[in-house]
Amino acid sequence: MDREYEMIQKYLVKVRRNLHQIPELGTHLPKTQKYVCEELKKMGIPYWCSEKDSGIIAEIRGRYEGKTVALRADMDALPLQEQNAVSYRSRHEGCMHACGHDAHMAILLGAAKILQEERDGMHGNVRLIFQTAEEISRGSEIAISNGCLKDVAAIFGLHIGNILGKEIPTGTLIFPRACCMASFDKFIICVKGQSCHGSTPEKGVDPVNIAAHLLIALQTIQTREISGTASSVITVGKITGGTQYNVIPDQVVLEGTIRALDETVRQYIARRIKGLAVAISAMFGGSCECEIIWGAPPVVNDETMAELAAKAVSDLFEPKDIIEDFSIPNMGGEDFANYLLEVPGAFFFLSSSNEKKGTDIPHHNPTFNIDEDVMWKGTVTFVRIVHNMLQIEKK
């Protein structure tokens, strides 16, 4: 490890552990915002706090005119009770950084620290976007509405962990050239029937029966209506209804998610879910209400930007540590996709899957953790990307 990055690594671990202890949910992240702002203030980097949420937009202004490159980190956590027995475990009950966003913030602050010191030789500006509510797919839309992409030439973001597979060794950087993550949306179907005693089902309309038929029918959208080469997922993860074992309830609610790698497929699935819900409910004498809560579209990298990002660190790491031809997109979602609809950019991945350290646990798990030893690679990648896009004169 280069001495410069060895020093920044210590800073990254400290910041990540501090942030890990104060996880917050959604758009209101007062403690997290305060911590990030204090770090930016120490660095002398001007910043602006959103009035719509706890997001922060900061800017490192180069001495010379040039492009503006944006770097983004997400800030929110998950509603999970942490089970890791570590000294820096979450101090907030029922809330945990189980997706690596604490590391993302630390990595971006580390890059900011280095780039701020280089600003006198910089041709252009670096915009730092600290975004809320990625987990509920609202933060990037708010950040964009706040003008975070104004005059931006390109944007870059990263995800740490084992999101692309725990078999990818820790420290590996992955730069997909095209679609790398799926869209993600939520659907809620409220099936309505007519309550009656379980001994006389003929006197009512059974929404449990309707929901059961609908649950099976939804899977035929994928298997019989969409090409097998068009990857998609329809999952019902929650079904609620009824209060007594011997009473047919008035309604049953199904909640699930849609994932797709293609926008046309995404829209088709949403339409068909609504169509099947209405038709099957009516077929058994009931009715329904179906709501699609739109999340984010597929994450589609700009090929040129993905190639630039990979080349930026090609002289620093071994070929085995860099993957560019990753052709199997992840069916998870990321609202970074919204930025890529507006400006060219790339979303890359840093594996921290290390079985010996127990960091090969999936994301969104109460025992999720990362291999902190590789965090500096995320920082150096951000810095090198900026170096490649903005001419920097060493003083």
Side-chain angles (χ1 to χ4, degrees):
M1 187 190 301
D2 185 280
R3 182 168 177 77
E4 178 184 18
Y5 295 112
E6 185 175 0
M7 293 176 65
I8 203 68
Q9 170 67 11
K10 295 178 181 178
Y11 172 77
L12 300 180
V13 172
K14 180 191 77 171
V15 170
R16 184 255 165 170
R17 292 187 176 188
N18 287 340
L19 288 166
H20 189 85
Q21 296 176 67
I22 54 169
E24 296 169 295
L25 305 176
T27 59
H28 186 58
L29 320 172
K31 292 183 181 179
T32 306
Q33 182 189 58
K34 181 181 178 182
Y35 185 93
V36 172
C37 287
E38 286 177 351
E39 291 302 307
L40 292 170
K41 193 179 297 183
K42 290 176 189 175
M43 299 175 201
I45 298 174
Y47 61 86
W48 174 80
C49 294
S50 170
E51 294 181 356
K52 301 175 182 177
D53 65 354
S54 297
I56 306 162
I57 300 173
E59 189 146 329
I60 301 170
R61 298 185 179 277
R63 182 176 180 181
Y64 307 103
E65 293 293 321
K67 302 174 182 176
T68 297
V69 179
L71 306 175
R72 173 269 204 172
D74 36 14
M75 306 163 71
D76 57 321
L78 288 158
L80 292 172
Q81 181 64 43
E82 181 164 13
Q83 294 178 13
N84 289 315
V86 292
S87 61
Y88 53 89
R89 65 179 293 162
S90 170
R91 300 202 303 258
H92 295 174
E93 288 295 312
C95 192
M96 176 192 176
H97 272 298
C99 201
H101 296 187
D102 49 347
H104 298 168
M105 288 183 280
I107 287 168
L108 183 53
L109 284 169
K113 195 175 184 71
I114 294 170
L115 292 167
Q116 174 70 350
E117 294 172 357
E118 298 178 336
R119 69 189 185 282
D120 285 344
M122 188 183 295
H123 291 253
N125 309 309
V126 180
R127 189 161 301 156
L128 311 170
I129 302 169
F130 292 89
Q131 175 214 303
T132 70
E134 187 280 325
E135 296 294 352
I136 58 173
S137 186
R138 289 294 172 265
S140 62
E141 292 177 335
I142 297 172
I144 291 169
S145 73
N146 283 331
C148 73
L149 296 181
K150 183 180 179 182
D151 301 323
V152 165
I155 186 167
F156 298 88
L158 90 161
H159 208 304
I160 198 168
N162 62 2
I163 195 166
L164 295 185
K166 67 178 185 179
E167 69 280 358
I168 299 177
T170 186
T172 304
L173 288 155
I174 305 102
F175 301 92
R177 295 292 184 90
C179 181
C180 58
M181 297 187 80
S183 62
F184 67 106
D185 306 295
K186 179 180 180 180
F187 61 88
I188 303 175
I189 304 171
C190 180
V191 177
K192 297 182 178 182
Q194 183 177 334
S195 180
C196 64
H197 197 278
S199 65
T200 55
E202 73 280 2
K203 293 182 179 180
V205 176
D206 188 353
V208 176
N209 175 56
I210 297 171
H213 280 81
L214 180 55
L215 178 64
I216 300 302
L218 289 178
Q219 304 308 313
T220 65
I221 298 174
Q222 292 170 278
T223 61
R224 290 298 177 268
E225 299 183 33
I226 295 174
S227 170
T229 60
S231 298
S232 62
V233 174
I234 303 171
T235 293
V236 174
K238 183 179 181 182
I239 301 177
T240 55
T243 58
Q244 299 293 330
Y245 78 99
N246 63 345
V247 177
I248 290 174
D250 273 325
Q251 66 179 36
V252 172
V253 178
L254 298 88
E255 298 181 48
T257 186
I258 306 167
R259 307 294 169 115
L261 300 180
D262 180 88
E263 183 64 22
T264 302
V265 173
R266 177 193 186 198
Q267 296 293 334
Y268 179 84
I269 291 174
R271 288 196 305 272
R272 290 295 291 136
I273 286 176
K274 285 186 174 182
L276 282 174
V278 170
I280 292 174
S281 296
M283 182 172 67
F284 290 102
S287 62
C288 78
E289 294 177 358
C290 183
E291 179 185 9
I292 304 295
I293 300 173
W294 297 104
V299 180
V300 183
N301 282 345
D302 180 273
E303 185 173 350
T304 300
M305 293 297 115
E307 183 178 0
L308 179 149
K311 285 185 176 179
V313 290
S314 61
D315 65 328
L316 187 63
F317 302 124
E318 297 291 329
K320 65 180 178 60
D321 295 327
I322 298 175
I323 299 175
E324 294 185 68
D325 59 349
F326 199 88
S327 58
I328 307 173
N330 181 272
M331 296 309 289
E334 238 287 354
D335 75 351
F336 190 84
N338 289 317
Y339 299 119
L340 296 176
L341 292 177
E342 303 290 331
V343 297
F347 193 70
F348 62 94
F349 302 87
L350 172 58
S351 174
S352 67
S353 178
N354 190 327
E355 186 178 359
K356 293 180 179 179
K357 295 183 178 181
T359 61
D360 58 341
I361 303 298
H363 295 72
H364 293 219
N365 184 294
T367 60
F368 174 82
N369 210 340
I370 66 162
D371 183 354
E372 293 177 322
D373 290 343
V374 305
M375 289 172 62
W376 70 278
K377 288 191 171 185
T379 290
V380 69
T381 303
F382 273 152
V383 171
R384 287 295 191 92
I385 287 171
V386 172
H387 284 184
N388 272 30
M389 293 206 68
L390 307 180
Q391 181 185 345
I392 295 182
E393 299 175 6
K394 294 289 185 179
K395 300 296 182 180

